[in-house]
């Protein structure tokens, strides 16, 4: 049981939890993640420690509300409550070295996962530019980034109420790829990092590939245990089957089988929607 | 009182839920004995002397089987006392009898050499063990016995860390706690039990029974830390600084995948993932439970071991057609006879001599069919005594929306990467005392064997506890 020390809404649908989890705080390195189970009949979801204090034994986790579990966490959990399970740290840390000039990209809530990596790389002597593309009300961690890295670029996209959500998301993808192209045309970068939805990662990768710059991606396949025992998170990298939870989550973007990954992350969409709808119905019906 | 013993040749049957009822839920199939039927079965036992009894030799943890059966007979007029004394005999060697009575392959272990087998049916030892454990739990007799045992334990100053809360780790923990050591188990998942919790389905081993059995270990003083992934949350080296000895019982949790194109299509599960979703996460109760699982109209299970039977029977309970496809023949099926029979009764279909060569998908990346090559057996046998097989060049394609791959597992990679730990073919290397290449670090169960059985793991747990006790006793003497 892991106590919630603080809970704060840091942007639309973005909720930050500061959680007492000394076993994770003691060991976690940038690039690693945890598996959280918040409720008794709940599922296990992967989240990324964004900040931590090894002495005080806490980590922060930012939850982007996108389905039933994250919605429940945002609505039902309060400061002082406990999260049932926080397992970790899991996965491999990112490589800690001087790459030179780095462009670190976060789409939507992916930016919170970029933070610990970008900050550590900057501290190590890299010149890090971070780029955050998201909807206007979802801009988060602006000040933290401005303090942590050489330059922080924001690409806020307004939400057009006359368009469907998928259409709005296409605007973000377009803005993101345009901005990346503009940056790569004007400046020299030694490495690109990106965290975000697999479709956007692929779109950005296709631009980066034209410039031949090395690109590192943190992949987000579906996970269950997060310790290498089930293979739910398997991805094809360089023609080989890899388990993202123990071989990753970071991989060389040039080696990832993107279309396969995109198909796999969408496998449960219909069931996810059903879970969310029934939860919303219950909330409205049973309302406290 | 002493009447002349008459041989009762036929085994007293246990009740089973009818097929048409049980395939719609995940509740236990076999209902076990009650006191009356248990006594009837117990009376068939010839009560061979313990130093001779072949059944004891066949049990990997050497439970005094005629001893516990004798207690039932001795106190037939007082069921509570009969069970309490029988449980006391079992606990001397095995702290998880409700589990082992259900999942051990008794036909290959204790029951294999039962003398009664020469004149009739062998004694139903597993179901008698299970009866004792179940009756004791229902009547709180196990609690009573614990209260008597715990105060007698003489505490020792040394501490032992156990990696993994599966059958091997839990058994070692129980034994070491009874000896008085301070025991802490480090478990990666959110619930202890290992394969008992995530692998073996409810209809063979109800999860609340496992949980109650684990509560007993806690009352013996065993501490269990879940969410701790050894190799990452804490390393073996760090454990050695805090503990006097370490026992690695991390199992064989890494699934093997079929090496064929299309293996990452949607709808293809490893048995580990499918069973973890269904058992541990209770996905069969979605959306009451949050974890989803998708089971198509036709499911193909690849492999024919116990894991394959568990996966096939679980999938059947979603009301769909299930085919087990095996590359060898029916006589090579490695699952327990009881499970194989149960699967057939429940309508699981079997296709033999089919080897998957390609998984075929649709434009959305979802599985739609599996292409198999027909195999044929040769006279020649392999190292395990199974007939070798060769491809015929003839292919058959079977449509399916779901595939579950159950062709085996490897030991966990996170632990075997420990510096200084000698590993061969992914398995931890141990000496005759189950000690690894690192002094003070022992290992057992599937981590040293590859995929084996629950009871072999428990046997290792017991051996390791003894070896650790000797190691710590010698070390204390030499200091």
């Amino acid at each position: 049981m892991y106590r919630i020390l603080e809970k704060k809404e840091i942007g639309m649908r973005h909720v930050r939890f500061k959680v007492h989890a000394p076993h994770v705080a003691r060991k976690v390195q940038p690039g690693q993640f945890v598996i959280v189970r918040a409720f008794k009949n709940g599922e296990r979801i992967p989240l990324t420690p964004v900040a931590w204090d090894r002495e005080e034994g806490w980590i922060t986790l930012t939850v982007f509300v996108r389905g039933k579990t994250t919605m429940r966490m945002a609505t039902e959990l309060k400061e002082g409550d406990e999260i049932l399970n926080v397992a970790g740290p899991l996965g491999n840390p990112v490589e800690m070295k001087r790459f030179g000039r780095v462009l670190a990209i976060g789409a939507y809530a992916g930016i919170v996962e970029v933070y610990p990596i970008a900050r550590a790389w900057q501290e190590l002597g890299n010149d890090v530019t971070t780029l955050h593309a998201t909807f206007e009300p979802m801009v988060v961690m602006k000040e933290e980034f401005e303090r942590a890295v050489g330059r922080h670029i924001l690409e806020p996209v307004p939400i057009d109420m006359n368009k469907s959500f998928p259409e709005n998301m296409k605007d973000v993808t377009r803005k993101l790829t345009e901005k990346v192209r503009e940056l790569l045309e004007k400046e020299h970068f030694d490495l690109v990092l990106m965290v975000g939805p697999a479709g956007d990662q692929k779109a950005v990768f296709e631009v980066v590939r034209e410039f031949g710059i090395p690109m590192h991606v943190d992949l987000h396949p579906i996970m269950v245990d997060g310790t290498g025992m089930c293979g739910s998170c398997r991805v094809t990298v360089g023609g080989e089957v890899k388990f993202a939870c123990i071989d990753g989550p970071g991989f060389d973007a040039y080696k990832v089988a993107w279309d396969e990954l995109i198909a796999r992350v969408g496998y449960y969409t219909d069931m996810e929607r059903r879970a969310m709808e029934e939860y919303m119905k219950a909330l409205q019906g049973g309302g406290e | 009182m002493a009447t002349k013993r008459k041989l009762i040749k036929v085994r007293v049957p246990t009740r089973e839920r009818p097929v048409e009822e049980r395939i719609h839920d995940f509740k236990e199939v076999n209902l076990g004995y009650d006191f009356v039927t248990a006594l009837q079965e117990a009376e068939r036992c010839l009560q061979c002397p313990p130093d001779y009894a072949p059944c004891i030799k066949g049990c990997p943890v050497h439970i005094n089987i005629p001893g516990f059966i004798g207690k039932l007979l001795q106190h037939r007029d007082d069921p509570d006392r009969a069970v309490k004394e029988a449980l006391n005999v079992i606990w001397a060697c095995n702290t998880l009898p409700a589990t082992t009575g259900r999942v051990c392959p008794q036909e290959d272990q204790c029951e294999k050499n039962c003398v009664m087998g020469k004149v009739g049916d062998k004694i139903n030892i597993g179901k008698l063990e299970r009866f004792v454990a179940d009756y004791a739990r229902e009547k709180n007799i196990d609690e009573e016995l614990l209260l008597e045992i715990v105060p007698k334990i003489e505490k020792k100053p040394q501490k032992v860390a156990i990696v993994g809360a599966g059958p091997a780790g839990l058994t070692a923990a129980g034994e070491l706690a009874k000896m008085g050591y301070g025991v802490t188990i480090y478990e990666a998942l959110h619930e202890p039990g290992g394969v008992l919790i995530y692998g073996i389905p409810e209809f063979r081993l109800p999860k609340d029974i496992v949980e109650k059995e684990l509560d007993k270990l806690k009352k013996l003083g065993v501490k269990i830390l879940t969410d701790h992934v050894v190799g990452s949350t804490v390393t073996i080296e760090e454990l050695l600084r805090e503990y006097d000895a370490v026992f690695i019982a991390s199992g064989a949790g890494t699934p093997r995948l079929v090496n064929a194109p299309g293996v990452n299509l949607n709808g293809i599960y490893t048995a580990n993932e499918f069973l973890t979703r269904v058992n541990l996460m209770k996905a069969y109760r979605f959306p009451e439970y949050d974890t989803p699982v998708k089971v198509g109209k036709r499911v193909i299970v690849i492999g024919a071991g116990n894991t394959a039977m568990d996966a096939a029977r679980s999938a059947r309970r979603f009301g769909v057609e299930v085919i087990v496809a095996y590359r060898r023949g029916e006589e090579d099926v490695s699952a327990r006879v009881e499970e194989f029979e149960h699967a057939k009764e429940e309508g699981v279909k079997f296709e033999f001599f089919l080897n998957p060569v390609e998984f075929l998908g649709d434009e959305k990346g979802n599985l739609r069919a599996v292409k198999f090559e027909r195999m044929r057996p040769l006279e020649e046998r392999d190292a395990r005594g199974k007939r070798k097989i060769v491809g015929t060049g003839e292919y058959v394609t079977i449509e399916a929306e779901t595939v579950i791959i159950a062709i085996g597992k490897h030991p966990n990679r996170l632990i075997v990467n420990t510096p200084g730990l000698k590993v061969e073919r992914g398995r931890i290397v141990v000496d005759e005392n189950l000690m690894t290449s690192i002094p003070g670090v022992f290992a057992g169960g599937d981590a040293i064997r590859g995929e084996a059985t629950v009871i072999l793991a428990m046997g290792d747990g017991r051996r390791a506890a003894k070896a650790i006790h000797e190691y710590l006793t010698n070390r204390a003497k030499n200091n």
Side-chain angles (χ1 to χ4, degrees):
Chain A
M1 300 277 263
Y2 307 89
R3 188 169 295 280
I4 298 167
L5 305 170
E6 268 174 45
K7 177 191 174 188
K8 196 180 172 201
E9 191 171 347
I10 58 169
M12 181 182 144
R13 290 168 64 190
H14 287 65
V15 183
R16 181 160 69 200
F17 293 94
K18 183 171 161 186
V19 182
H20 183 68
H23 66 305
V24 177
R26 192 164 56 226
K27 273 294 175 68
V28 64
Q29 303 286 344
Q32 291 188 298
F33 64 98
V34 293
I35 293 271
V36 169
R37 192 181 70 120
F39 306 101
K40 223 172 153 25
N41 56 353
E43 59 182 340
R44 295 166 64 94
I45 62 164
L47 292 171
T48 300
V50 181
W52 50 82
D53 187 306
R54 301 204 196 281
E55 276 75 49
E56 292 178 17
W58 54 259
I59 57 175
T60 66
L61 302 169
T62 298
V63 171
F64 174 61
V65 179
R66 62 174 292 274
K68 180 180 175 186
T69 295
T70 47
M71 178 79 171
R72 279 184 83 183
M73 289 179 76
T75 52
E76 295 178 26
L77 294 177
K78 298 183 294 290
E79 273 180 23
D81 285 351
E82 284 180 334
I83 290 179
L84 291 180
N85 301 98
V86 180
L90 302 167
N92 294 306
V94 289
E95 208 182 341
M96 276 298 156
K97 68 174 209 188
R98 285 195 187 206
F99 301 97
R101 296 202 72 222
V102 179
L103 175 61
I105 306 161
Y108 309 98
I111 197 68
V112 302
E113 293 174 44
V114 168
Y115 180 74
I117 300 171
R119 190 171 91 149
W121 279 352
Q122 180 79 34
E123 277 173 12
L124 211 65
N126 291 289
D127 177 11
V128 181
T129 296
T130 46
L131 167 62
H132 185 199
T134 189
F135 294 120
E136 267 167 1
M138 292 186 186
V139 169
V140 294
M141 295 189 78
K142 180 174 173 288
E143 293 76 23
E144 283 101 321
F145 272 101
E146 284 168 354
R147 277 198 300 274
V149 298
R151 175 176 52 157
H152 184 58
I153 304 169
L154 270 176
E155 281 295 328
V157 176
I159 303 177
D160 184 343
M161 288 303 179
N162 297 317
K163 286 201 276 191
S164 70
F165 201 69
E167 287 300 317
N168 271 301
M169 288 181 74
K170 279 184 193 159
D171 289 345
V172 176
T173 309
R174 202 182 55 246
K175 201 81 177 270
L176 184 59
T177 46
E178 281 169 10
K179 187 69 195 178
V180 171
R181 181 177 296 282
E182 181 196 318
L183 281 166
L184 297 186
E185 274 169 357
K186 276 200 277 186
E187 302 175 30
H188 166 82
F189 288 97
D190 299 290
L191 177 72
V192 177
L193 160 81
M194 170 150 181
V195 186
D200 287 314
Q201 284 179 315
K202 185 192 176 198
V204 169
F205 163 65
E206 280 168 353
V207 175
V208 174
R209 184 170 52 185
E210 290 173 34
F211 295 84
I213 301 167
M215 181 169 173
H216 176 103
V217 279
D218 263 15
L219 300 187
H220 287 177
I222 296 168
M223 288 188 185
V224 182
D225 64 289
T227 62
M229 60 161 263
C230 84
S232 170
C233 67
R234 63 190 191 273
V235 288
T236 304
V237 181
E240 282 178 53
V241 178
K242 300 277 183 191
F243 289 7
C245 68
I246 52 172
D247 298 314
F251 292 101
D252 177 350
Y254 287 79
K255 293 184 175 165
V256 173
W258 288 106
D259 293 335
E260 177 190 285
L261 174 71
I262 291 166
R264 283 183 72 82
V265 295
Y267 187 48
Y268 294 102
T269 309
D270 51 341
M271 292 181 85
E272 286 163 4
R273 188 174 303 127
R274 187 178 153 209
M276 181 69 163
E277 279 165 4
E278 299 213 2
Y279 177 63
M280 297 294 279
K281 227 189 289 169
L283 269 190
Q284 284 155 6
E288 283 174 76
Chain B
M1 225 182 80
T3 49
K4 193 173 181 300
R5 186 169 280 277
K6 199 179 104 202
L7 285 184
I8 309 163
K9 291 185 183 170
V10 182
R11 180 176 273 202
V12 178
T14 50
R15 285 174 306 138
E16 277 184 2
R17 293 168 61 225
V19 171
E20 53 286 4
E21 178 192 311
R22 73 188 196 226
I23 61 163
H24 300 296
D25 62 42
F26 279 77
K27 287 185 212 134
E28 196 165 20
V29 167
N30 190 298
L31 301 170
Y33 287 128
D34 55 23
F35 189 67
V36 173
T37 47
L39 263 188
Q40 285 168 359
E41 180 66 12
E43 260 174 59
R44 298 177 58 239
C45 173
L46 299 175
Q47 291 287 297
C48 305
D51 50 351
Y52 157 77
C55 55
I56 301 180
K57 293 198 183 79
C59 168
V61 295
H62 306 307
I63 295 172
N64 179 353
I65 293 160
F68 93 76
I69 293 177
K71 293 292 182 191
L72 295 177
L73 295 169
Q74 200 182 332
H75 302 292
R76 63 176 67 220
D77 301 324
D78 184 352
D80 288 7
R81 179 161 178 211
V83 165
K84 187 171 174 181
E85 296 202 5
L87 185 66
N88 199 23
V89 172
I90 295 171
W91 271 5
C93 303
N94 176 13
T95 38
L96 308 166
T99 301
T100 51
R102 285 174 165 84
V103 303
C104 278
Q106 285 97 3
E107 67 268 25
D108 293 327
Q109 315 262 6
C110 54
E111 291 175 17
K112 193 174 184 178
N113 307 321
C114 173
V115 178
M116 269 304 287
K118 297 207 168 77
V119 290
D121 294 339
K122 294 160 180 180
I123 304 297
N124 199 344
I125 299 165
K127 297 291 191 297
L128 284 175
E129 181 191 30
R130 167 185 160 171
F131 161 74
V132 170
D134 286 358
Y135 184 99
R137 183 181 63 253
E138 279 150 26
K139 292 242 179 167
N140 273 328
I141 291 168
D142 49 358
E143 294 286 323
E144 241 176 78
L145 196 57
L146 262 179
L147 284 177
E148 289 168 25
I149 291 172
V150 170
K152 288 184 202 148
I153 297 174
E154 216 174 292
K155 289 271 174 223
K156 293 187 174 70
Q158 295 104 319
K159 294 196 299 174
V160 181
I162 292 176
V163 180
L170 295 170
T171 303
E175 295 301 312
L176 289 164
K178 282 191 283 180
M179 293 176 206
Y181 293 102
V183 180
T184 305
I185 306 181
Y186 288 77
E187 166 58 42
L189 287 175
H190 61 270
E191 272 182 47
V195 75
L196 308 177
I197 281 285
Y198 77 76
I200 301 173
E202 292 258 9
F203 52 80
R204 284 216 286 140
L205 178 65
K207 300 305 152 225
D208 56 335
I209 288 176
V210 181
E211 277 162 37
K212 285 193 179 121
E213 226 152 38
L214 295 178
D215 282 346
K216 261 159 251 149
L217 277 186
K218 289 179 198 161
K219 286 184 181 139
L220 280 171
V222 174
K223 243 170 79 182
I224 303 180
L225 292 175
T226 55
D227 308 322
H228 280 64
V229 187
V230 173
S232 178
T233 311
V234 57
T235 62
I236 301 281
E237 294 99 305
E238 287 167 322
L239 289 177
L240 268 181
R241 267 178 247 145
E242 203 182 326
Y243 296 88
D244 299 281
V246 176
F247 177 50
I248 302 175
S250 49
T254 309
R256 282 178 57 201
L257 283 166
V258 175
N259 188 14
V263 75
N264 290 355
L265 285 166
N266 279 328
I268 303 179
Y269 290 101
T270 66
N272 259 12
E273 180 186 352
F274 182 74
L275 291 170
T276 298
R277 285 179 181 271
V278 171
N279 295 322
L280 178 70
M281 307 311 296
K282 295 197 167 40
Y284 65 92
R285 288 167 72 177
F286 179 89
E288 179 196 348
Y289 281 74
D290 292 339
T291 303
V293 70
K294 279 197 179 181
V295 184
K297 287 196 193 71
R298 183 188 280 150
V299 177
I300 297 177
V301 177
I302 296 172
N306 285 316
T307 309
M309 296 309 126
D310 284 343
R313 296 177 64 202
S314 296
R316 250 322 256 156
R317 281 160 170 75
F318 287 82
V320 300
E321 183 187 358
V322 179
I323 300 170
V324 169
Y326 186 36
R327 63 197 177 111
R328 297 173 186 272
E330 179 158 0
E331 64 277 22
D332 298 307
V333 166
S334 60
R336 277 188 76 186
V337 178
E338 189 183 346
E339 306 315 325
F340 185 33
E341 290 305 321
H342 275 148
K344 284 196 274 189
E345 279 169 30
E346 290 169 4
V348 172
K349 294 172 194 160
F350 287 82
E351 292 281 351
F352 296 103
F353 297 111
L354 287 186
N355 191 37
V357 291
E358 190 178 355
F359 300 100
L360 307 166
D362 63 14
E363 68 289 347
K364 285 182 178 160
N366 294 329
L367 177 77
R368 60 174 178 84
V370 186
K371 184 178 171 190
F372 293 95
E373 181 175 13
R374 279 206 192 282
M375 310 301 281
R376 67 181 173 82
L378 301 172
E379 285 309 309
E380 207 185 323
R381 292 186 181 263
D382 66 15
R384 291 179 302 166
K386 291 188 174 183
R387 283 181 302 171
K388 286 190 174 171
I389 45 168
V390 285
T392 60
E394 189 193 323
Y395 296 89
V396 52
T397 299
I398 306 177
E399 285 181 19
E401 291 153 305
T402 307
V403 156
I404 303 170
I405 301 173
I407 58 165
K409 297 171 228 169
H410 298 298
N412 280 2
R413 269 154 51 192
L414 275 175
I415 307 228
V416 298
N417 289 340
T418 299
L421 189 68
K422 197 176 165 207
V423 173
E424 268 167 24
R425 289 184 304 136
R427 298 171 193 176
I428 299 172
V429 179
V430 292
D431 66 12
E432 65 282 4
N433 293 319
L434 295 178
M435 179 130 66
T436 66
S437 52
I438 306 175
V441 178
F442 297 75
D446 285 1
I448 63 168
R449 296 172 181 276
E451 195 181 7
T453 61
V454 167
I455 192 67
L456 281 176
M458 293 180 64
D460 285 351
R462 200 166 145 78
R463 272 173 64 208
K466 278 196 183 133
I468 289 169
H469 173 59
E470 271 166 38
Y471 167 80
L472 292 178
T473 311
N474 287 338
R475 211 179 57 166
K477 265 187 225 153
N478 295 339
N479 278 347

